[in-house]
Amino acid sequence: MKPYDFAVVGAGVFGAWTAHFLRQSRASVVLLDAYGPANSRASSGGETRVIRMGYGPDELYTRWAMRSLPIWRELAARTGREIFRQTGVLWLSDDADAYLKSLCTVLAQERIEREELKAEDITRRWPQLRFHDVTGGVLEPNSGLLLARDAVQTLVKELVANGVDYIQSSANVPSGDGSTLRAIRSSAGESISAGTFVFSCGPWLPKIFPALLGERIFPTRQEVFFLGTPSGNADFRPPKMPVWLHRTHADLPYSLPDIEGRGFKIAFDRHGERFDPDTGTRVVKESSVEHLRGYLREHIPQLEHAPVLETRVCQYENTWNGDFLIDRHPELENVWIAGGGSGHGFKHGPALGEYLNERILHGAPGEPRFSLAAKQTAQHRAVY
Ligand SMILES: Cc1cc2nc3c(=O)[nH]c(=O)nc-3n(C[C@H](O)[C@H](O)[C@H](O)COP(=O)(O)OP(=O)(O)OC[C@H]3O[C@@H](n4cnc5c(N)ncnc54)[C@H](O)[C@@H]3O)c2cc1C
């Protein structure tokens, strides 16, 4: 097999966008995935993902989200797919929430459109929701959601049409010859040589690089529910229902409106237990359904007894604090690692691909927060 300029291992959102930008430089690129782009085990395999600009005080991720949204829109326009839905994103919180105050400041600095709302505005505009603990909120009217699985699969189809070779096969655990990785072997027995390798294997990164990342990326089990809404009831679809995030609740509930008849999506952002992305069972626990019903009773009474149409068990691939890991391998000079999406990475796929491309091809300086050196081994979530 011919040597490629670049081999990208993992066709989730990070790998697909990385391959896109590398290919734009006319390099030869091969993209591998063990189970398929945005497959059901992958973190990118969900139906929908939120794209919001607000990140509390964290200007870095606000700027990356701002950079990414138009690139998602361009993909949608090029391919004719409705990848982005502008549903609005509603932050719900209280007066003591410093995160929300900083979020408003950063959105104002960046000239991002927003509406600051009082509790009575929220009750009036969304009477189907009841948040007794919420005293105010912020609406990002131009944000919304991405059709995640479709977006990644559409992008990979476009990559193939543009000359990227896609191979559905698992790459072995790489072992370098001194300071360089010459080739990887696929599960089909092929040897794939490349000048540079990018490992964008999401929650599998600790399995690929156990010594390096076994204690630095923590995959956690996350459950997602899709609820059936009453027939003819538009309260839980756009334009009546935005994406919302309920920050005053300890379990950090968030919800996405019913899109394409899949149901009203609701989940808790609190980290679950450790999870194995290959073998973990993806059936939600009965106790979780009970817990959800309790939440619905209090906050969305119309849906207290709504049928659960579908569930998903996915995993976050958390770094210690939620900052991404995008860095060169410390021993193999032609190997890069991109991962650690930490439950918020999807929206940033385009910005990440562009950043990595600049680093690899043009030697752009690295952001210290994304470095391997900054990754600690004890969890302390700081990026939301
Ligand atoms: C329930 C849930 C909700 C989320 N909500 C949001 C949200 O609202 N907004 C947001 O921005 N983000 C969100 N995220 C986070 C986001 O989905 C992830 O950060 C992002 O999808 C990670 O992408 P990735 O490409 O790093 O990993 P993945 O999508 O997991 O891709 C890794 C790929 O590598 C492949 N692979 C692994 N090992 C090998 C190997 N040896 N050889 C070949 N291929 C291999 C896998 O098959 C897989 O396809 C959410 C995540 C979850 C689980």
Short mmCIF file of all heavy atoms in Angstrom, two decimals, residues 94-123:
data_model
loop_
_atom_site.label_atom_id
_atom_site.label_comp_id
_atom_site.label_asym_id
_atom_site.label_seq_id
_atom_site.Cartn_x
_atom_site.Cartn_y
_atom_site.Cartn_z
N ASP A 94 -29.69 31.28 38.46
CA ASP A 94 -30.14 32.23 39.48
C ASP A 94 -29.14 33.36 39.64
O ASP A 94 -28.07 33.35 39.03
CB ASP A 94 -30.42 31.52 40.82
CG ASP A 94 -29.17 30.88 41.40
OD1 ASP A 94 -28.05 31.31 41.02
OD2 ASP A 94 -29.29 29.95 42.20
N ASP A 95 -29.48 34.32 40.50
CA ASP A 95 -28.67 35.54 40.61
C ASP A 95 -27.27 35.28 41.16
O ASP A 95 -26.37 36.08 40.97
CB ASP A 95 -29.38 36.56 41.51
CG ASP A 95 -30.73 36.94 40.93
OD1 ASP A 95 -30.89 36.78 39.72
OD2 ASP A 95 -31.62 37.38 41.70
N ALA A 96 -27.12 34.15 41.86
CA ALA A 96 -25.82 33.87 42.48
C ALA A 96 -24.84 33.23 41.50
O ALA A 96 -23.70 32.96 41.86
CB ALA A 96 -26.02 32.94 43.67
N ASP A 97 -25.27 32.99 40.28
CA ASP A 97 -24.46 32.20 39.35
C ASP A 97 -23.41 33.07 38.64
O ASP A 97 -23.71 33.76 37.67
CB ASP A 97 -25.40 31.54 38.33
CG ASP A 97 -24.67 30.53 37.45
OD1 ASP A 97 -23.44 30.40 37.59
OD2 ASP A 97 -25.34 29.89 36.63
N ALA A 98 -22.17 32.98 39.13
CA ALA A 98 -21.08 33.78 38.55
C ALA A 98 -20.80 33.35 37.11
O ALA A 98 -20.40 34.17 36.27
CB ALA A 98 -19.82 33.62 39.39
N TYR A 99 -21.01 32.07 36.83
CA TYR A 99 -20.78 31.55 35.47
C TYR A 99 -21.64 32.32 34.47
O TYR A 99 -21.16 32.74 33.41
CB TYR A 99 -21.12 30.06 35.46
CG TYR A 99 -21.01 29.35 34.12
CD1 TYR A 99 -19.89 28.57 33.82
CD2 TYR A 99 -22.03 29.41 33.18
CE1 TYR A 99 -19.79 27.89 32.61
CE2 TYR A 99 -21.95 28.74 31.97
CZ TYR A 99 -20.82 27.98 31.69
OH TYR A 99 -20.74 27.31 30.48
N LEU A 100 -22.92 32.50 34.82
CA LEU A 100 -23.84 33.15 33.88
C LEU A 100 -23.51 34.64 33.72
O LEU A 100 -23.63 35.19 32.62
CB LEU A 100 -25.29 32.96 34.34
CG LEU A 100 -26.28 32.96 33.19
CD1 LEU A 100 -26.07 31.75 32.29
CD2 LEU A 100 -27.71 32.97 33.69
N LYS A 101 -23.06 35.25 34.83
CA LYS A 101 -22.67 36.67 34.73
C LYS A 101 -21.48 36.81 33.77
O LYS A 101 -21.46 37.69 32.91
CB LYS A 101 -22.29 37.20 36.11
CG LYS A 101 -23.51 37.41 36.99
CD LYS A 101 -23.16 38.13 38.28
CE LYS A 101 -24.41 38.17 39.16
NZ LYS A 101 -24.22 37.64 40.50
N SER A 102 -20.49 35.92 33.94
CA SER A 102 -19.31 35.98 33.06
C SER A 102 -19.70 35.68 31.63
O SER A 102 -19.18 36.29 30.69
CB SER A 102 -18.26 34.96 33.48
OG SER A 102 -17.97 35.09 34.83
N LEU A 103 -20.61 34.73 31.48
CA LEU A 103 -21.07 34.37 30.13
C LEU A 103 -21.62 35.60 29.41
O LEU A 103 -21.29 35.87 28.25
CB LEU A 103 -22.12 33.26 30.27
CG LEU A 103 -22.80 32.69 29.03
CD1 LEU A 103 -23.09 31.22 29.25
CD2 LEU A 103 -24.10 33.40 28.72
N CYS A 104 -22.43 36.39 30.15
CA CYS A 104 -23.02 37.60 29.55
C CYS A 104 -21.92 38.58 29.15
O CYS A 104 -21.97 39.18 28.07
CB CYS A 104 -23.96 38.29 30.53
SG CYS A 104 -25.48 37.39 30.73
N THR A 105 -20.92 38.72 30.02
CA THR A 105 -19.82 39.65 29.72
C THR A 105 -19.08 39.21 28.47
O THR A 105 -18.80 40.02 27.58
CB THR A 105 -18.83 39.70 30.92
OG1 THR A 105 -19.59 39.93 32.09
CG2 THR A 105 -17.77 40.75 30.75
N VAL A 106 -18.77 37.91 28.39
CA VAL A 106 -18.01 37.42 27.23
C VAL A 106 -18.85 37.54 25.96
O VAL A 106 -18.36 37.99 24.92
CB VAL A 106 -17.54 35.95 27.46
CG1 VAL A 106 -16.88 35.39 26.21
CG2 VAL A 106 -16.58 35.88 28.64
N LEU A 107 -20.13 37.18 26.03
CA LEU A 107 -20.98 37.30 24.83
C LEU A 107 -21.04 38.76 24.38
O LEU A 107 -21.00 39.05 23.18
CB LEU A 107 -22.38 36.76 25.09
CG LEU A 107 -22.53 35.26 25.38
CD1 LEU A 107 -24.02 34.86 25.37
CD2 LEU A 107 -21.77 34.39 24.41
N ALA A 108 -21.12 39.69 25.35
CA ALA A 108 -21.17 41.11 25.00
C ALA A 108 -19.86 41.53 24.33
O ALA A 108 -19.87 42.20 23.29
CB ALA A 108 -21.43 41.95 26.25
N GLN A 109 -18.73 41.13 24.93
CA GLN A 109 -17.41 41.46 24.35
C GLN A 109 -17.30 40.96 22.91
O GLN A 109 -16.74 41.62 22.05
CB GLN A 109 -16.31 40.73 25.12
CG GLN A 109 -15.75 41.47 26.29
CD GLN A 109 -14.92 40.49 27.14
OE1 GLN A 109 -14.54 39.42 26.72
NE2 GLN A 109 -14.63 40.89 28.36
N GLU A 110 -17.81 39.77 22.70
CA GLU A 110 -17.67 39.14 21.37
C GLU A 110 -18.81 39.54 20.43
O GLU A 110 -18.92 39.00 19.32
CB GLU A 110 -17.62 37.61 21.51
CG GLU A 110 -16.46 37.08 22.33
CD GLU A 110 -15.09 37.36 21.70
OE1 GLU A 110 -15.02 37.48 20.46
OE2 GLU A 110 -14.12 37.49 22.46
N ARG A 111 -19.67 40.44 20.90
CA ARG A 111 -20.82 40.93 20.10
C ARG A 111 -21.71 39.78 19.63
O ARG A 111 -22.14 39.72 18.47
CB ARG A 111 -20.35 41.73 18.89
CG ARG A 111 -19.58 42.96 19.28
CD ARG A 111 -19.12 43.71 18.04
NE ARG A 111 -18.13 44.71 18.38
CZ ARG A 111 -18.39 45.88 18.95
NH1 ARG A 111 -19.63 46.21 19.21
NH2 ARG A 111 -17.43 46.72 19.24
N ILE A 112 -21.96 38.85 20.54
CA ILE A 112 -22.87 37.74 20.23
C ILE A 112 -24.25 38.12 20.73
O ILE A 112 -24.42 38.52 21.90
CB ILE A 112 -22.38 36.44 20.92
CG1 ILE A 112 -21.02 36.04 20.33
CG2 ILE A 112 -23.39 35.31 20.75
CD1 ILE A 112 -20.29 35.01 21.12
N GLU A 113 -25.23 37.98 19.86
CA GLU A 113 -26.59 38.38 20.22
C GLU A 113 -27.09 37.55 21.40
O GLU A 113 -26.88 36.34 21.46
CB GLU A 113 -27.49 38.16 19.01
CG GLU A 113 -28.75 39.00 19.08
CD GLU A 113 -29.64 38.79 17.86
OE1 GLU A 113 -29.11 38.73 16.74
OE2 GLU A 113 -30.85 38.67 18.07
N ARG A 114 -27.74 38.21 22.34
CA ARG A 114 -28.27 37.50 23.51
C ARG A 114 -29.42 38.29 24.09
O ARG A 114 -29.51 39.50 23.89
CB ARG A 114 -27.19 37.31 24.57
CG ARG A 114 -26.86 38.61 25.25
CD ARG A 114 -25.54 38.62 25.94
NE ARG A 114 -25.38 39.93 26.61
CZ ARG A 114 -25.11 41.06 25.96
NH1 ARG A 114 -24.98 41.08 24.66
NH2 ARG A 114 -25.00 42.19 26.64
N GLU A 115 -30.29 37.60 24.82
CA GLU A 115 -31.38 38.27 25.54
C GLU A 115 -31.26 37.88 27.00
O GLU A 115 -31.25 36.69 27.31
CB GLU A 115 -32.73 37.76 25.05
CG GLU A 115 -33.22 38.37 23.79
CD GLU A 115 -34.58 37.76 23.43
OE1 GLU A 115 -35.53 37.86 24.24
OE2 GLU A 115 -34.66 37.16 22.36
N GLU A 116 -31.21 38.87 27.89
CA GLU A 116 -31.19 38.55 29.31
C GLU A 116 -32.63 38.55 29.80
O GLU A 116 -33.38 39.48 29.52
CB GLU A 116 -30.31 39.54 30.05
CG GLU A 116 -28.85 39.36 29.63
CD GLU A 116 -27.87 40.28 30.32
OE1 GLU A 116 -28.09 40.60 31.51
OE2 GLU A 116 -26.89 40.67 29.67
N LEU A 117 -33.01 37.51 30.52
CA LEU A 117 -34.41 37.32 30.87
C LEU A 117 -34.60 37.20 32.36
O LEU A 117 -33.74 36.67 33.07
CB LEU A 117 -34.91 36.01 30.23
CG LEU A 117 -34.77 35.91 28.70
CD1 LEU A 117 -34.94 34.48 28.24
CD2 LEU A 117 -35.78 36.81 28.02
N LYS A 118 -35.74 37.69 32.84
CA LYS A 118 -36.11 37.51 34.25
C LYS A 118 -37.01 36.28 34.36
O LYS A 118 -37.54 35.80 33.35
CB LYS A 118 -36.86 38.74 34.74
CG LYS A 118 -36.02 40.01 34.67
CD LYS A 118 -36.58 41.03 35.65
CE LYS A 118 -35.79 42.33 35.61
NZ LYS A 118 -34.33 42.17 35.64
N ALA A 119 -37.20 35.82 35.61
CA ALA A 119 -38.00 34.60 35.82
C ALA A 119 -39.37 34.73 35.17
O ALA A 119 -39.87 33.79 34.53
CB ALA A 119 -38.13 34.32 37.32
N GLU A 120 -39.97 35.94 35.31
CA GLU A 120 -41.34 36.09 34.76
C GLU A 120 -41.35 36.03 33.23
O GLU A 120 -42.31 35.54 32.63
CB GLU A 120 -42.04 37.34 35.29
CG GLU A 120 -41.28 38.65 35.19
CD GLU A 120 -40.39 38.94 36.40
OE1 GLU A 120 -39.92 37.99 37.07
OE2 GLU A 120 -40.13 40.14 36.66
N ASP A 121 -40.26 36.50 32.59
CA ASP A 121 -40.18 36.39 31.12
C ASP A 121 -40.14 34.92 30.71
O ASP A 121 -40.77 34.51 29.73
CB ASP A 121 -38.90 37.04 30.58
CG ASP A 121 -38.76 38.50 30.99
OD1 ASP A 121 -39.79 39.18 31.04
OD2 ASP A 121 -37.62 38.93 31.27
N ILE A 122 -39.38 34.15 31.49
CA ILE A 122 -39.21 32.73 31.15
C ILE A 122 -40.55 32.00 31.31
O ILE A 122 -40.96 31.24 30.44
CB ILE A 122 -38.10 32.11 32.05
CG1 ILE A 122 -36.76 32.79 31.71
CG2 ILE A 122 -38.00 30.59 31.85
CD1 ILE A 122 -35.65 32.52 32.70
N THR A 123 -41.24 32.29 32.41
CA THR A 123 -42.55 31.65 32.65
C THR A 123 -43.55 32.02 31.55
O THR A 123 -44.32 31.19 31.09
CB THR A 123 -43.11 32.10 34.01
OG1 THR A 123 -42.06 31.95 34.97
CG2 THR A 123 -44.31 31.30 34.46
#
